[in-house]
Amino acid sequence: RNFYSVDPKAIPSQLAYQTGTAMAESLLERYREETGELPRSVGLSMWGTSAMRTSGDDIGEVLALLGVTPVWDEQSRRVTGLEPIPLAELGRPRVDVTVRISGFFRDAFPHVIDLLDDAIALVAGLDEPDEVNFIRAHALADDPQTAESGGHTGAGETGGVAKPRPRRIFGSKPGTYGAGLLHLID
């Protein structure tokens, strides 16, 4: 009785993205008040039931922190693509986001995982200075050859130029749930 009917391909909804954007702005403002600067990286958890209940406001938050907006099909309201928000419009650096997904999220929303991965790769591949694109800066610092290699480093080819594809989404392996601590405790 507590499940929600949701079209997984319509996540995040337009309203959820707006809510997620407000959440991201609140997080950034709070961090700025506490430290005097903006964060370079943030870690967030994604839960399947939360995504169903809110139509993906936490996914909207991740996209907003990255400085990416979804593109929706007008008729179906499904997400059909991603667009980077121009830096002049964004008005701040792009934050490097690492996501921890639950097992249920992994099973219920594999295409959303792909969407988030594509958003991270999109931002990492933008030709922007390191001081305003922390994802790209961190990806190149982690593996300088990533930007030059189209091989098994996770780089993707676009227009003949290899772009870094950093790994920022983590969860338990298929068929498992939780962090695996109960097994170790037993």
Side-chain angles (χ1 to χ4, degrees):
R1 87 177 208 216
N2 291 325
F3 283 96
Y4 298 83
S5 175
V6 65
D7 178 359
K9 295 195 178 198
I11 290 181
S13 69
Q14 291 175 334
L15 178 59
Y17 178 73
Q18 292 170 358
T19 303
T21 298
M23 291 165 47
E25 290 170 3
S26 174
L27 181 147
L28 295 173
E29 186 55 37
R30 188 176 70 236
Y31 190 92
R32 185 183 325 213
E33 287 173 3
E34 292 175 5
T35 67
E37 57 188 35
L38 290 173
R40 292 179 165 267
S41 59
V42 171
L44 297 172
S45 293
M46 300 283 164
W47 299 93
T49 52
S50 173
M52 287 181 166
R53 184 175 53 252
T54 67
S55 295
D57 61 3
D58 48 358
I59 295 142
E61 182 178 17
V62 171
L63 295 175
L65 288 167
L66 294 170
V68 173
T69 186
V71 176
W72 292 272
D73 176 71
E74 187 105 4
Q75 304 245 329
S76 69
R77 297 185 182 184
R78 287 182 166 191
V79 177
T80 59
L82 299 164
E83 291 180 355
I85 299 168
L87 284 171
E89 184 181 330
L90 189 60
R92 61 165 174 81
R94 300 180 193 279
V95 178
D96 190 350
V97 182
T98 299
V99 179
R100 167 62 167 101
I101 59 170
S102 71
F104 179 64
F105 187 96
R106 175 202 63 224
D107 294 345
F109 301 109
H111 67 285
V112 175
I113 296 168
D114 290 340
L115 180 79
L116 290 173
D117 187 53
D118 289 346
I120 291 163
L122 172 68
V123 172
L126 294 173
D127 185 17
E128 297 173 339
D130 289 354
E131 62 272 5
V132 292
N133 188 332
F134 298 134
I135 300 148
R136 181 173 177 77
H138 295 160
L140 293 174
D142 290 346
D143 183 6
Q145 294 180 2
T146 298
E148 299 170 10
S149 172
H152 293 20
T153 62
E157 294 272 350
T158 306
V161 177
K163 296 186 177 185
R165 193 165 190 99
R167 287 163 174 79
R168 295 293 188 269
I169 304 168
F170 300 92
S172 53
K173 66 182 180 178
T176 62
Y177 298 90
L181 291 178
L182 292 179
H183 174 71
L184 294 174
I185 292 170
D186 286 344

